[in-house]
Structure formats: C-alpha cells, structure tokens
Amino acid sequence: MDFTQPKPATALCGVVSADGKIAYPPGVKEITDKITTDEMIKRLKMVVKTFMDMDQDSEDEKQQYLPLALHLASEFFLRNPNKDVRLLVACCLADIFRIYAPEAPYTSHDKLKDIFLFITRQLKGLEDTKSPQFNRYFYLLENLAWVKSYNICFELEDCNEIFIQLFRTLFSVINNSHNKKVQMHMLDLMSSIIMEGDGVTQELLDSILINLIPAHKNLNKQSFDLAKVLLKRTVQTIEACIANFFNQVLVLGRSSVSDLSEHVFDLIQELFAIDPHLLLSVMPQLEFKLKSNDGEERLAVVRLLAKLFGSKDSDLATQNRPLWQCFLGRFNDIHVPVRLESVKFASHCLMNHPDLAKDLTEYLKVRSHDPEEAIRHDVIVTIITAAKRDLALVNDQLLGFVRERTLDKRWRVRKEAMMGLAQLYKKYCLHGEAGKEAAEKVSWIKDKLLHIYYQNSIDDKLLVEKIFAQYLVPHNLETEERMKCLYYLYASLDPNAVKALNEMWKCQNMLRSHVRELLDLHKQPTSEANCSAMFGKLMTIAKNLPDPGKAQDFVKKFNQVLGDDEKLRSQLELLISPTCSCKQADICVREIARKLANPKQPTNPFLEMVKFLLERIAPVHIDSEAISALVKLMNKSIEGTADDEEEGVSPDSAIRSGLELLKVLSFTHPTSFHSAETYESLLQCLRMEDDKVAEAAIQIFRNTGHKIETDLPQIRSTLIPILHQKAKRGTPHQAKQAVHCIHAIFSNKEVQLAQIFEPLSRSLNADVPEQLITPLVSLGHISMLAPDQFASPMKSVVANFIVKDLLMNDRSTGEKNGKLWSPDEEVSPEVLAKVQAIKLLVRWLLGMKNNQSKSANSTLRLLSAMLVSEGDLTEQKRISKSDMSRLRLAAGSAIMKLAQEPCYHEIITPEQFQLCALVINDECYQVRQIFAQKLHKALVKLLLPLEYMAIFALCAKDPVKERRAHARQCLLKNISIRREYIKQNPMATEKLLSLLPEYVVPYMIHLLAHDPDFTRSQDVDQLRDIKECLWFMLEVLMTKNENNSHAFMKKMAENIKLTRDAQSPDESKTNEKLYTVCDVALCVINSKSASCNADSPKDPVLPTKFFTQPEKDFCNDKSYISEETRVLLLTGKPKPTGVLGTVNKPLSATGRKPYVRSTGTETGSNINTNSELSPSAGSRSSREQSSEASETGVSENEENPVRIISVAPVKNIDTVKNKEMNSDQSTQGNISSDRGKKRIVTAAGAENIQQKPDEKVDESGPPAPSKPRRGRRPKSESQGNATKNDDLNKPVSKGRKRAAGSQESLEAGNAKAPKLQDGAKKAVPAERQIDLQRTQTGWSLASS
C-alpha cells in the first residue's frame, strides 16, 4: 500500500455530514481552539485510535471522516505549540495517508508540502527513546515507512526540500539507543525515495554523504552506519549521482557544486570501504588526478589511493591494473612528500596483500637509494614492520635493501636498519617464532651486524655492542642459557664476523684498562705530570664515546666527580675488577647511574654519556660462572651429548669454535679461567687429535695459567710433559705456543726450555726436512725468549747447520709446473724448512738485540742474496717457481722484521732496503699481497721506521685494482694514525723526523730514483711511471694542508736537489736521476696545490743515510725535465699501453702471473687513458681504466682458468667504466691510469707457465726497450733483444722481474723474457758468485 501512483482527490474535497458539521468518531466531541489542551489531547487520542483501526476497505467510514481528515490538516493543528498535540495529529495524518491511499485527501500542493514538513518535524521525537511518547513516534515512523507516504511528494515541484529535511532529521535523531527496527524503518523510508524517484539531487546526496566525513563520523557513529547501509541498498541508483558529483569536483574543478567538495578524498575512501561499486566511474578520474601538475593534489590522491589499495579486503589493485600501475609511478614522483607517502603505504600493502610484494619490490629498491634521508629511513621501517608481522610477507630482495642501508651515509638510516635486523634476528632465530625455515632465512643477519664493527664511526661500533648485548646474546638471560646462545652463535659466524666480535671484546677490554689506569692516577699524589697523564687518558676515553667533542667535556666532569666521591670511585673499581661478576656489574652500573641522576633534569646528556661508558666497560656477559658454563658445553660436545646438530653445527666445529672462543676470552678475562675444572677440560682438549683444538688450548694456558704453578700443582705436573711433547713433535703452531706457555707460567723456565733445546739442536737433520719444521720453530722461539741462555749455543747451530747445510743446499728437485704460487699443502717440506730457518735467524737476532758478533750483517747479506737470486740461493735451478716465491717472501719479510729493531735498522744499507721494497712489486700476486699486509701491520703499530711507508708508493705499479686500492687504504690509515699520535702525545714533537707523515717524501724520492725500471732520466714513459708513484703517495698526503704541509713537502724536494745521493755521491747519472725525480715531484706538487709557494713552516731535515749534507757553495737551479716533458706529464698526453691480459686474480687465486710495463715504442692496439693531474680533469676513476679493461675474467692457475681478453679499439675506450673504492675520491683529480700495468694476454688454460727457452719470440715489429727485472738480478739465460744503449751496458745489481714483449710477441703464462745487453748478461754470474762467497765467508767468521 503506497502512494507510488497518487490520484487526484477533487471528488472528496467538499463532502461533509448532512448537517454540515464535521463527523467525529463516537464519543469524541468537537475539537476546536475553544477547549483546553488536555481535553484536546484526550479527544485526539480517541481520533488516533479510530484511524488506527480503520483500513482502506472501509469506504463508508472514509467518506464519513473525510471532513475530519481535512480539519486535522488545518493551520491550527499544524502550528499547535503543544508537542503532544502535534504528535497525535501527525499520527492521524499518517493513518489518513494510509487509509486513503492511493488517493490523497489533500489537493493543494502547498498543503501537502506543509503536511509532510510538519510530519518530518515530528520525527525528531524519535531521538529520546526514554520518552513516554516514544512508542507513538515509532508508530509514526513505521506507518510512514510501510505506506511509503513520502512518495506522494514526487508530484510536488519543490519535493527536494521535503526529502532533504527528512534525511537530515533521520540522520540527526539516530543514536545507539535505537533498536534495529528503528534503523530498518528509516532505511525503508529513505531508500524508497532514492530508488523510486527520478534522481538524487546534489543537496540530497550531500545530506547522505556528510555523515561519512570523519568529523561527523566520530560525532555520531550510528548516522554513519545508517548512511553506509543506505548506500549499499541503493548502490545501483545512486552510483550515477555519486559519479556526477566527483566528476564535477575532480575533473571540472567545480568545487562550488557542493559544500563537501573539500572532503572528496575522505568521501572516496569511505565509499570504497562501503562498496567499491559506488566508485566504478570515479576511479578513472583518480588516475587523471595522479598526473596533476600540483604536487599537493598528487599527494592527496596518493594518500587516498594508499588507503584504498592497502585496505585488507581491497582487490582494487587486481581489478584496476591501470590505476595500480599509475599509482606505483608515484614512488618516483619529483615531490618528496609524495614519495614519502608512497613508501609508507608499502608497509600496509605488504601486510594486507603479500601478492603485491613483487610489484612493490623494484620501486622500494629505487627508493632505498633515494637522496632524501627520510624516505630511505621509511623504506626500512616499511620492510621491517612487515617482516616483524610475518617474515613470509617480505622476500629476500626486500631484506637485502635493509642490509644495504646498514652502510648508509646517514646515522639515522643506519641505526634503523641495524636495529630492525637485530629485532628480526631475535624474533626468528633466537626465539624461533616461525620455525627453522624462517630462522635460516635471516641467519645472515648476525654476520652482517657484526661486520659493521669494521666501520670507522664510533656510533656504529657502539650500536653493534648494544645489539650484541640485547639481541644477539641477551645479557639478561640466565648464565647457562646465555652461554649456550654465545657458544652456538660463535660457532655459526663467518670468519669476518668472528674477527669483528673478537675486536669488539678487545676494544672493550682496552677501554676497561684505560679506565683502570685513570683510577690508578687518582690514587697518586697531584702533580703536573699526573695531571698531564690524566688529561691524556681522558682524551683517549672520550674518543671511545659518541660525539668525542662533547664527550671530552662530559668525561672531564665525570673525572671531577670521581675525584670528589670516593664511594663512586670504589664502585667503578669494582665494575672493572677482573673478579667482578655479571650480576655485580649490573648492580654497579645502576648504582653509579643513580648517583649521577638529577631528578630535576629529565634529559641529562651527561648521564647518558656516562651510561655509554659504563655499558662498554661492564662485563655483562663473561665472568667465572660463564666460563665454567662454556667449558661444560664444550665437554658435552666432546662427549657427543650436546645439541650441536639441532643448532645447525657439527660437533667438530662446535669444539673447535668453542676453543677459539675460550682463547679469545682468555685474553680479555684471564682471571675467570682459574679453576681446576676448567683446566682439566683444557688438558682433555690437549690430548685430542685436532691440531687447532690443541693449539688453542695451549694458548689459553699461556694466557691464563700464571697461578697454576702455585695453586694447582696437579695441573702443573700433567701439563709440563704435554708441553714438552708439543714443542718437540707437535705442529709448528703448537710448538710456538708450547714454548711461550712454558716461558709464561713456569718459574724454572730456563730448565724446562733447556730440556727442549738440547735434544732438538742435536737431532737436526737436513736430509729429513719434514721432521725439521717443528724443531726449527721451537729453537727459534726459545732463542728469542731466552737469549742470555741460548744465544751462544744457537750461533753454531745457525752457522753450521742453518746456513751451510740447509739454506745453501738444495737436496730435492721442485715440481716444474710453472706456477708462481702453490697452496700450503703443496709446498715441499724442504722449502717449508728453509722458510722456518729464515724465521729462526730473525728470532735469534731479535732475542740478542745487538750486532756485536756481526751476525746481523751476515744475515742481511744472506737475505739480500736470496732476493737477488729470485729465491734460488744456490742457482742450481732445482727449486720450483712457487717455492722460489715463498722464499722471496720470507726473505723480504725477514728484512722488514729486523728493521723493527733499532740496532738492526741502523745497519740495513740503502741497497738492502731497496731490495726489500721491490718485493711489493713481485711477479707473484700472493707475495705482493702478503708482503703488503705485513708491511701495513708493522707500520700501523709504529714498529717500522718511516722510510718503509715509502714502499707503498711502488704499489702504483701493481696491475691489480684491489691491490692498489688496498695500498691506498693502508696509506690513509697509517697517515691518520701518525698524525693522531702526534696530537695525543706532546712529547712526540721531538721525534717528528720519524713520525711526521710528510717526512716520507725524501725516502720515496730516493727509492724511486733507484727504481730498476728508471733507467733513462729523460724517457717520458719512465717519467710518467715515476709521476704515478709519486702521486700515489702525495695524493693522500695532500688531502689536507695541515700546518702548510704542501710548502713543507715542496721545500724538502728543493733541498734534496742541494744534496747528493749518499748511496753513490760521485756518480753523476745517479745524482741526475735523483734530481729528475725531485723535479717531477715539484711539478706534481705545484700543479696540485696553490698554497705550496708559501713559506715552509720549518726547515726540513733530510736523512743522512740517503742524502749527503748540502755543500756550502753548491747551487742546483737546473731543471732536469724539459718544458715539453713537463707539459706531457701534466696535460696527460695518452700513453700507449699494451693489451692487458692475464693478471693475478685477487685474494682467492693461488697463483699469479707476471705483468709487463708497456713502453711508448710498443705497437698494437693500445688503450689510451688520461694522466692529467689537473683538479678539473675529472674524477679519479679514470686512474683504473687501463687495468680494468682486462681484469674481468682474470686468472692464472688450474682453479681459475685463464680467458682471452679482447680489448676494444681506442675510440671505444669510453665504454670501459670503473667503480672506485670510495665515492668521495671522485673529486681528487684525474690520475694517470696506466701505472705501467701492461699484462700479457694468455691463451685459455695458461697457468703461470714460464716461457720455455726454445720458444721463439716474434720480433717482426719494432723492438721494445729493454726492461730490467724487478726484485732480483737479471740472468744470463734471459731472452730477447733490446736496443743497445750506454745505460744498459753496465751490470744491473737489482730489479723487478719483468716479462716484456711487443704487441706481436705477447706470450702465454708468466712469460720470462727480459731483454738485457750482453755486458749485463756476462757481468751478473761473476757478481753473483762473489756475493755468495761473501755470505758464506761472513757466516764462517760468525761461527768461529
């Protein structure tokens, strides 16, 4: 029953009763304005009941009460002030519409409008459900909804006003006290109007949509729910109206069409959540908006779509792929906030729609490298948040982005990445929340986090320590659980992570010792020296805290507090005491923090800094109880009762890594090991077959066993015979540790060592070299540790056995496989014995620390002879190439080791120093690599004299990029350490000659002047090589112009030109080469520094060992390089280089090929590179071009087969691109990239094969100039012709080994074809023979 098709009521309008009066129901008197309100209400109630009981079929009653119906619509009732009267009238009118449907009893449109507005107003009474009249209001609503009375208004011209008023009224009255029936009737009433009308006007739509706006939604949740259900019910009808609204606002920009225009994006979000079909026509409009030129508008659309795509049940991305792809494009938006919003969306999307992760990955990858720090930070937060929810939500590539950002240039980003990864590790690996598969997926995190400890930033180091203590091995676990966690973590770490963890403990232990020394200074009486020492100690401690600048002030303040508060001092002493337990440490830290806290200062930077210090020095992991727990775990692994396999570690690995862990801890916490139970377990390890385990156990005894002799005699009696056995018949490493252990922990060490020395020295037999190695190691260390007792007996052993019998004889013939390097297990026992013999000589001399017997001179001559002879001291050609490489390395390292002792450094001649230096240019990659590492290690500890740092300049000639990069990093580190040492030690100013990095310049100039490759002082190509070596060092030195150092270095070079070469003061050609190198150095310094012409801050002192004193009247203002040469050096005319072929592959390869320096006269396809030194010439990256053109696929041994390298023509060289070690180096200037690194192209399969003597060299092309061999004297059997000149007619005393050849004569493998003059060939054997005779004679005298 409704008014869907209303009919006119003209026939009824004048019907009244026969007497002309209005007919009222029985018992109801006339209702007029003359009666009281109460009476009126009483009579109206009876009328209401009458109409309620009537139905549409009562035709007589309808006719009878028609006048009453018209009367009730009069102004008197519609405007009655009494709400009860109005309610009763409204109920009557609603029933009248029901009874008379489909005809309406009212004909006037104005009257109908007044009636429906009146009824609408009465519906407000629905708001109060507790009202006595609520049931009548509900009846009114129900009647209207059931009859659909409002549909009659469709015929009215201004029906929209009625509908708007109705909708607003219903939405305003709905509340949480209404039951579902009320909501249902409201929905029926409104939906009938929407669905049966001709359309929804904008005002009416607004009355619905306004309830979806967040502000209204929060005020009245029920009105939002009502609108939501209404829209769902009428979606088919209202969708077109909604589309029209958004089209007007979004596309046409007519915001005036509605007051809701500014809320369009909120409305779209809510409508999408209600039913996506409501927006079928709107989504394409959003794609249009995503491409708007207005950044803020794009941002608003991105925010909206992020919510639409990211909502849990949304399938918009799959339903509307064009819009999804367009949205993804906003990840690369030029507007930063848009990119930021896109990244934030990714987190919800990953969690709610894992299937979209693939689409997001590439865009997140790009954003993880975004120039904006905030965006990179949010990429990490996005990925980590999703991964913490469920690891399956993120793929390995996404986790890889977080891994990369641990090395971000910004601390905030690095910190977020590191902490995020730590949380994932703890959740999935430590707690195993998602099973073994998830744990395996993130098992790399522990290694990566510890690798960050290698970074220079103190903030990174501190965060790694914090992560280790809280996430990797949580310190709040019980001791046994904590140690189990540490035990298996250590066993599963990669070697670099193990080193980082060891370094972390070492740094913490060092800081503990600094604090301990500071407390010791507090106990001493106040003095100037004490204050100075205390200040130095405070500065050292401050460097180990974040923001060292601010930390200095806080550390000073903390020091003052320590001086004033004795109780605080005692707490700190207890904290760093070797006997402090983990629980005591926790109490001490809390107590100290409590004392320093200031309640009035919530944020206390001083307290935060002190906490950093306390956290670093507090032993929160290791104490005696912890060591015992570790030992028990290791015992279980030995017995086979541990959970090794469950933890993913084999028992053997667990035992070995467990001993390594204990060994490291024995350095940092030696006191915690002192128990019979621990030592019994270590004795058990000593008896195991695993050599590494036994070696580690001995070292632990050595580090911790100082009280064994007095406190644990039973352990002592068991340990001594085992140590003797290891020193005599163990492995070389075990023998070394056994000797040191005896020396460290026993009071009668002389007797114990003698019992080892005597039988070993008597049983030496060179015919059984495999049984010589361990005795030689033991004898060498014994003579070094107890020189007073064993130096003299050792002399005869050295002279009669070591030199004459072992080193000067070759008993076996090496394998002629042509390799330059072989793995340790393939080296012949005889060569291993010779290497140990060389080390024995050095240890013996280091023990004596004097040269009274001239033994050191004889040793140095022997070592030099070994270098000159390429490692084949006897020159019988019985020794293999790889064994010769081992011996060259041993000889060079031995000279370097002796140079660390001042008394021996003084007697090392310049020639011997130069021979030692040339080892860094050895033809064998491993020799160069290991020698450079040893050199760096000694320099960085300030053990070697400054002149040895000049050796790194020769690394400019290395053909392998990694080796040059390593050398540069070594230089940076060494220079930094020396400058820092000078700053921290005021007394160091007295030793500037040996400490100031700039003083390396004269040593470098002298070394390069004696470079065997530098034969002609006017050869441009040779000068270019010299310039490369000079700039390799000067570039690092000239990074900063501290104290006008550029002028100082220039002054040094100028002063050298006023002296003569002390090595050959009377040889004009030698001095000319020296002055030429000086001029090249001055040329480089002048071209790179505008401030070098200032006055030098001080007059430099030149080393008298290398330069004579300046002569009074000597003036040397001659320029030794022509202006044309100078221009060539500076403007960088490309130097022709040969094709780069097979080279030594970095690190992992076991053999290396020699490399060839190209010359200007060589022909063939050359790679041209720029060697300009001008700062504007571009980046350093061009430095590596000539070498990188062929370094891909480089190899030289069986494990790494060689590939043919094809080199592009010169015009295509721009396609060769390089990656530099550090991005900040790109501004350092464009350095010549040749570095003399011509390498030989080899056929596939070539493996360090030496050229056979009968192989012919194709010399049809122009011959290359002769090149002496680097690292040793040229041999008479060398092949190849050279252009004769006076410089090469002389015997060559030393030189790098070189394999030379023109483009037409490139040879496979480590071809050996030096080109020497006949005079040189003839002179060398005689000179070589004399040298060996001198060596033997020297040792004969020494032994007598």
Side-chain angles (χ1 to χ4, degrees), residues 485-722:
C485 185
L486 176 59
Y487 184 73
Y488 289 112
L489 173 75
Y490 201 85
S492 59
L493 292 175
D494 68 33
N496 290 327
V498 169
K499 289 179 183 177
L501 182 53
N502 295 346
E503 181 67 18
M504 185 185 84
W505 281 326
K506 175 185 170 185
C507 291
Q508 290 175 340
N509 189 55
M510 193 176 298
L511 185 57
R512 269 196 292 273
S513 67
H514 289 318
V515 175
R516 190 177 294 114
E517 290 165 9
L518 178 66
L519 290 174
D520 291 340
L521 290 172
H522 274 284
K523 297 175 184 177
Q524 297 175 7
T526 305
S527 66
E528 187 176 343
N530 182 274
C531 291
S532 176
M534 193 175 288
F535 176 79
K537 196 57 63 180
L538 292 174
M539 294 302 99
T540 304
I541 293 172
K543 283 197 301 182
N544 288 276
L545 297 172
D547 196 352
K550 290 182 180 177
Q552 289 182 8
D553 298 331
F554 291 133
V555 170
K556 289 176 186 175
K557 181 179 177 182
F558 183 54
N559 189 51
Q560 289 177 351
V561 176
L562 285 176
D564 300 336
D565 192 334
E566 187 176 346
K567 192 172 180 183
L568 190 69
R569 215 162 50 238
S570 64
Q571 288 278 4
L572 191 59
E573 284 180 352
L574 176 60
L575 180 65
I576 60 175
S577 165
T579 57
C580 180
S581 69
C582 297
K583 291 178 181 177
Q584 283 178 322
D586 190 42
I587 294 170
C588 287
V589 169
R590 285 205 304 269
E591 187 65 23
I592 294 172
R594 186 185 63 79
K595 284 192 174 186
L596 297 176
N598 185 356
K600 297 179 182 179
Q601 194 175 0
T603 56
N604 189 342
F606 167 63
L607 180 58
E608 291 301 314
M609 196 65 69
V610 173
K611 282 183 178 178
F612 270 120
L613 175 62
L614 297 179
E615 286 171 3
R616 292 204 76 185
I617 64 175
V620 293
H621 282 107
I622 305 300
D623 56 12
S624 299
E625 188 181 349
I627 294 298
S628 298
L630 274 177
V631 170
K632 288 176 183 175
L633 278 169
M634 194 178 62
N635 288 339
K636 287 183 180 179
S637 294
I638 295 172
E639 295 162 5
T641 59
D643 303 329
D644 298 338
E645 298 292 350
E646 281 186 27
E647 298 290 341
V649 180
S650 68
D652 289 342
S653 298
I655 297 168
R656 183 176 293 186
S657 62
L659 254 297
E660 286 297 320
L661 172 59
L662 288 170
K663 182 179 81 175
V664 173
L665 296 176
S666 71
F667 286 100
T668 57
H669 301 80
T671 310
S672 301
F673 283 78
H674 197 67
S675 72
E677 182 184 10
T678 300
Y679 288 135
E680 287 288 354
S681 298
L682 292 174
L683 286 172
Q684 187 179 354
C685 293
L686 279 176
R687 300 186 184 98
M688 292 179 67
E689 294 181 0
D690 191 320
D691 294 335
K692 293 280 185 183
V693 169
E695 179 192 337
I698 298 172
Q699 198 160 352
I700 295 171
F701 272 111
R702 171 188 170 184
N703 296 337
T704 66
H706 303 291
K707 295 184 179 179
I708 285 180
E709 194 168 40
T710 55
D711 298 352
L712 300 168
Q714 187 176 354
I715 299 293
R716 176 189 181 277
S717 59
T718 310
L719 179 61
I720 288 178
I722 297 177

Side-chain angles (χ1 to χ4, degrees), residues 371-388:
E372 285 294 324
E373 173 186 343
I375 294 177
R376 299 196 305 276
H377 176 271
D378 277 15
V379 169
I380 295 163
V381 173
T382 291
I383 298 170
I384 293 297
T385 303
K388 285 197 287 188

Side-chain angles (χ1 to χ4, degrees), residues 1045-1059:
S1045 60
H1046 294 182
F1048 182 67
M1049 288 187 285
K1050 180 181 178 182
K1051 182 70 172 174
M1052 276 193 286
E1054 290 172 344
N1055 285 5
I1056 292 173
K1057 289 185 68 175
L1058 302 177
T1059 68

Side-chain angles (χ1 to χ4, degrees), residues 968-1128:
R968 190 175 191 279
Q969 291 302 314
C970 291
L971 280 174
L972 285 167
K973 180 76 172 174
N974 275 293
I975 290 170
S976 171
I977 283 178
R978 288 174 182 272
R979 285 178 175 159
E980 189 63 30
Y981 182 84
I982 293 171
K983 287 180 185 177
Q984 297 296 330
N985 297 272
M987 304 300 291
T989 52
E990 300 173 5
K991 301 178 181 178
L992 280 183
L993 188 60
S994 60
L995 287 172
L996 192 66
E998 283 74 16
Y999 267 120
V1000 76
V1001 172
Y1003 297 116
M1004 173 177 62
I1005 289 175
H1006 189 275
L1007 180 61
L1008 293 175
H1010 289 269
D1011 187 337
D1013 286 345
F1014 187 35
T1015 56
R1016 295 191 297 278
S1017 58
Q1018 297 306 313
D1019 186 293
V1020 176
D1021 292 326
Q1022 292 185 14
L1023 289 177
R1024 185 181 280 110
D1025 293 339
I1026 294 295
K1027 181 204 69 176
E1028 281 297 312
C1029 294
L1030 286 167
W1031 179 239
F1032 192 79
M1033 178 74 72
L1034 290 173
E1035 180 189 18
V1036 183
L1037 288 171
M1038 296 175 69
T1039 304
K1040 296 179 181 178
N1041 188 20
E1042 293 185 4
N1043 301 320
N1044 207 8
S1045 60
H1046 294 182
F1048 182 67
M1049 288 187 285
K1050 180 181 178 182
K1051 182 70 172 174
M1052 276 193 286
E1054 290 172 344
N1055 285 5
I1056 292 173
K1057 289 185 68 175
L1058 302 177
T1059 68
R1060 297 183 187 276
D1061 189 336
Q1063 193 169 333
S1064 305
D1066 299 326
E1067 283 192 21
S1068 59
K1069 289 206 175 238
T1070 301
N1071 287 310
E1072 182 184 348
K1073 288 201 292 181
L1074 179 66
Y1075 302 148
T1076 303
V1077 176
C1078 286
D1079 276 352
V1080 175
L1082 289 169
C1083 177
V1084 171
I1085 294 172
N1086 285 324
S1087 69
K1088 296 300 292 183
S1089 173
S1091 57
C1092 66
N1093 294 318
D1095 293 335
S1096 173
K1098 62 184 76 174
D1099 199 38
V1101 180
L1102 298 178
T1104 56
K1105 189 174 183 178
F1106 295 92
F1107 307 99
T1108 63
Q1109 290 295 329
E1111 298 177 17
K1112 290 182 180 180
D1113 301 327
F1114 182 61
C1115 179
N1116 187 3
D1117 53 5
K1118 175 183 175 182
S1119 178
Y1120 289 84
I1121 54 176
S1122 66
E1123 190 60 34
E1124 181 185 359
T1125 302
R1126 193 184 303 272
V1127 171
L1128 284 174

